[in-house]
Every structure is written in C-alpha cells, then in structure tokens.
Amino acid sequence: MAAPILAYEDLGLVQGAGWLFRHLDLYIQPRDRLALIGRNGAGKTTLLKLIAGKIDADEGRRTIVPGTKVILLEQEPDLTGFTTLADYVLSAPDAPQHFEAEAIADQLGIDLTRDATTASGGERRRAAIVRALAQEPDVLLLDEPTNHLDIAAIEWLEDWLQRFNGAFVVISHDRTFLTRLTKQTLWLDRGSLRRAEIGFGGFEAWTDQVAAEEQRAAEKLDAKLKIEEHWLQRGVTGRRRRNQGRLAKLKEMRAERAAMIGQQGTAALAMANDDARSKVVIDAEHVTKSFGDRPIIRDFTFRVTRGDRIGLVGRNGAGKSTLLKLLTGELAPDSGSVKLAKTLDAIVIDQQRSLMAPDKSVRDVLADGGDWIEVLGVKKHVHGYLKEFLFDPSIADAKVGSLSGGERSRVLLAREFARPSNLLVLDEPTNDLDLETLDLLQEVIADYDGTVLIVSHDRDFLDRTVTVTLGLDGSGQVDAVVGGYEDWERKRRRRPEPKKAAAKPEGTPLSPPKPARAKLSYKNQRDYDQLPARIEALDAQIARDEEALADPGLYARDAAAFDRLTKAIGAAREEKEAAELRWLELAEQVEALG
C-alpha cells in the first residue's frame, strides 16, 4: 500500500447546533479513484471543501505531503466580477498558461471569449473544468462534474480522468460515470465514513452487506432499527428488489415496442392494426425543421404510442429541445405534420424549474399554503406526502430559497407528479438529484400510466427508464432505437463510416466491384458466436468477486485473498473489454456482409 499524500485523522465539524460529522479518518493515496457517496445533506460537498483546505475543521489533524496541489471543482462556480470566461479561467491561484487553457477548452467545445454574465450553465461548468484541469493537480476534487454537460463532454472528461496520473475524489449522481472511473468508495452515512477498496460498481452489494450486519448487531442487543431510518437509508434492499421487477417490466415493454418498429435505425413506425393505431398519442410524418441554412430535423417520421417512454439524446446543439418542442406542438415544422391526440394533458418539468419561487414555502408550492394535497384524485396530508419523496415533514414550512438544488428539484417533482396527466415531459430531470432520489424518480416514472418524453445526458438513467431512444447526431437525422442509451450507442459504434470513392479520369470505365465475402472465416464465426456468452460469464465473475471484496473485514482477515480478488477483477475487466471490442469488430463485418 502506497503512503497517503493527504490524510485526516479524527476529523470533526460542527454545523448549526451539533456535529455534522465527527471522528472521521480519511486518507488519499497517489493514484486513488474515489467515489464519495452519501444522501443529500450528509455533508459530501462540505467534506470536499475540508479536503481542499477551503474551510477549517473544528477538530482533527490534516496531513499533506509538501508540494501536493489540491484543486476543487465546485458544483456552482462563482463567476462574479469576471468579464469573460477566459478571465475566470486564468484567474486561478496557480493560473495556467493561456495556450494550455485554450487546448483543453477546444476539446471540451467551449469558447473562452464568451461573456461570463450571460453564459449558460453548461458553458460555466465547462469553464470551471478547464480552470481545474489546466492547473495540473495532484489531487482533483470533483463535485457533480457532469451536471449541465452533454454526453460528448462527459465522455471526453471520462477519457481525461482515465489518463490522469494523480488522485481524484468525485461526487456524482451519474452511475455510468462512477462505474467506469472509480476503484475505491467512500460512504458518508449518518455522520460516519466508511471506505471500501471497490469501485462504485460494487457499492450496492457492499451497502446491503453493511446494512445486514447492522441489523444483526441491533437484534443481538434486543433493539430494532427504526422503520423510518431503514426507509431513509440509501438504496433500501426492498426497494432495490422492486426496481429489479420494474427493469424486467421495462424489458418486456421494449420487446413489444421492437415488434412495432420496422427497419431498425429508421424513425418510421409501422402500425400493424387498428388497435395499435388507436394507441397513437403523437403522430409525426415527414417532419423537417431548419434554422436559417442549418437543417435541425430532416424527414422525421415517428409515432409515439400510449405508455411509451421516449428518451432524446445527442450533444448540445444537436436539436433535442427542437425535436421535443415539435413533438409537443410547441413548435411548428417547416414541412410535414405533427398530430397530437385530443385527450393529451401534459405536464412539463423544464431545466429552469420556473415554478420554484425562492420566497415561497414548500407548503405553498405543494398545497397552496394548506395542509392537504390532492394526489391523482386522492387527498393526502402534506407531511405524509413529503415523506414519500424522502423529506423530513418539518421541511414543509421552509422557504424554497433555503433548500439545496437537489431538494428544490425533489419538491418540484412531488408537486408535478400529484397532478393528473397522461403526458410527462422531463427536460434534464436528473440535474442536482442524488442517487437515492434518482431511484425514487425511476420508480415514479415506471409506475406512471401515461407517456413520457425525457431529454437527459444521464446514460444509466435512460438505460433504466426508456423504451425507445431517439438519437440526434446534429446533421438532421434522427435514429430511433428500441432500448436505452447503451442500445443507441452500440448502434452508433457499429455504423460504418461512409467511404469516399477515388476520383476516376473522365472516360475511364468503372471496374466491376469485387464480390464481398459470403461469410466469416471459421475462426471469426466461432468468436462471433461464442464471445457473447464469454462476456456474460466475465460479468458474472466480476460481480461475484466484487461482492466478496465488499466484505469490510476481508483485508484484515485474509490479505492474500484480498489481493487475489483485486487482481482477478482487474484481469477480468481487461479481458471483457478486449472481448467486447473483438465482438463489435466482428459485428461490423457481419453487418457489411448483410
């Protein structure tokens, strides 16, 4: 084990009338990839600020190797007093050279000459990332780095962090981001901090095991865990089991939808019979929309049926918001038509959260100042309804302006889901939500009786939620793929790049094309057939080993077994990645052969 470059011993911090946390021990090694997990309000952001030295602890000792550079990427960068984004980036304490900042900015797709006062949330976040990365930190602290980023920027950041030679600690609600990058986990829970030498992929199994051990310990003392506390614990086992059932239902819905779509990769939907036609709620035919000379949507035909969960994905500026407005009738197409069912009653939850006036109380927002709220025709007390959305009922009289971003989003969701509707439009609903609230949102969407349109950059959320993904590449083409983000991404990776034909001198006769191979070679065909089963077996092996590694007492009990499992997981992941790449190459060959 390498010596820590930064450590805290017996860390404690007072917040309000009591301790936010106390007696925490924390260490960071030179190449750590740490996920920091905890519920909203547990103190994750505060802990990052303590690690960065931005605030002082009330007790405990901070030790850091001299010369170690610790950089914090804050969730809400403060651009007050800066004229342009470049002014903000180059004002860092260890300011980067202008060319270094520009190099990163170009790759992230951000213009640093942009006016800081009018920059969007995504532009501000990109500028903050440029500022942090260009300082060449030894320890990088990331607080919700993927908020307001599109998928292309998130993937670029993932690639950068995979190559990063230092250590990082990341808070994020993006499960895919955490699973791909992290190798250790810090769990901040009810004032205590636990560390496990597993990435986020093994987090749920580990926390289930910890909860089971706590349950057994409580029973030995003739005590029972409080029901309320059990409900509020992250990822309650019972809820996770229900989510597995919902995922199974989602797969069934995707299979039914696949039977309705014609040629995969086109947006045309073949309606087989009158019964299917009666389920259509949005009917788009040959829709085209341009802004100036730039085509945004070209010849788009698609039918949204009752109960569909449609995800819209693509980089910023690809046309997701335009397509959403076309499908909901807010924007008229240049040509083609969009017909909406007369019975549609829509609820739109947008990125601006425009309904959440900061001077209103939570009670005002939910129940117009009263004690009761009507939820889909059933009267519920405000306090009880708040508990369903993971709030302490005492928050009812708090001002919206005093809530965190995640809490405000949760109040808005509670308000909107109480209203009767049959079309739900969610524009970036996952921003500012913690993992627990994301689980809750997935439950609510799964149980929703109507149709759902979702614009999101959260890949895992889309994989767990939508039946069809509409992917926009910025050229005006829209691909409809049954399934979630991974299904769309898989199709995108397999699409062959168009090859330009070499110019021929005028009058030269074209030679006949060479006949394509009729089939794969024996070895390639064998790999193509057998690799999916091998990948599945490797997934199962990794899951088993991560579950065994999640035992908090394993290292102390059997260090050799701990090392053996760690190496086995690393080797299995490398083999799986190689197998997936090999299979994708073969799949492209199969597609080329027809």
Side-chain angles (χ1 to χ4, degrees), residues 66-78:
T68 300
K69 190 187 299 182
V70 182
I71 301 297
L72 172 63
L73 171 68
E74 297 189 76
Q75 191 171 158
E76 296 292 339
D78 183 7

Side-chain angles (χ1 to χ4, degrees), residues 360-524:
K360 286 187 175 182
S361 71
V362 172
R363 190 188 301 274
D364 291 334
V365 172
L366 291 181
D368 295 323
D371 290 330
W372 297 89
I373 179 172
E374 189 166 310
V375 181
L376 302 179
V378 178
K379 287 189 74 174
K380 294 187 178 184
H381 197 279
V382 167
H383 287 179
Y385 190 53
L386 282 169
K387 287 165 71 174
E388 291 181 23
F389 279 80
L390 310 180
F391 282 112
D392 186 317
S394 64
I395 205 173
D397 294 310
K399 295 294 185 186
V400 168
S402 69
L403 305 180
S404 69
E407 288 170 331
R408 286 196 294 270
S409 295
R410 231 186 307 160
V411 170
L412 180 61
L413 292 172
R415 179 192 188 278
E416 296 302 286
F417 278 117
R419 297 167 54 199
S421 67
N422 52 27
L423 175 64
L424 184 63
V425 181
L426 300 169
D427 192 356
E428 290 296 346
T430 63
N431 278 346
D432 301 319
L433 298 185
D434 61 7
L435 294 171
E436 195 171 39
T437 309
L438 281 176
D439 285 343
L440 175 65
L441 179 57
Q442 288 164 16
E443 283 187 30
V444 175
I445 291 174
D447 294 338
Y448 182 67
D449 288 334
T451 303
V452 186
L453 302 178
I454 304 172
V455 175
S456 181
H457 297 130
D458 190 322
R459 296 156 292 180
D460 180 84
F461 180 78
L462 292 169
D463 285 336
R464 293 170 181 250
T465 307
V466 304
T467 54
V468 177
T469 298
L470 301 180
L472 295 87
D473 61 7
S475 70
Q477 179 180 343
V478 182
D479 283 331
V481 178
V482 173
Y485 174 82
E486 280 298 322
D487 299 286
W488 175 71
E489 178 65 16
R490 194 177 299 118
K491 176 187 180 298
R492 188 174 67 158
R493 285 197 300 262
R494 289 181 193 172
R495 182 186 294 143
E497 292 291 330
K499 294 183 179 179
K500 295 181 180 179
K504 295 268 185 183
E506 192 172 343
T508 304
L510 294 173
S511 57
K514 295 181 180 179
R517 289 181 63 93
K519 61 181 181 179
L520 295 175
S521 69
Y522 171 77
K523 180 180 183 302
N524 287 351

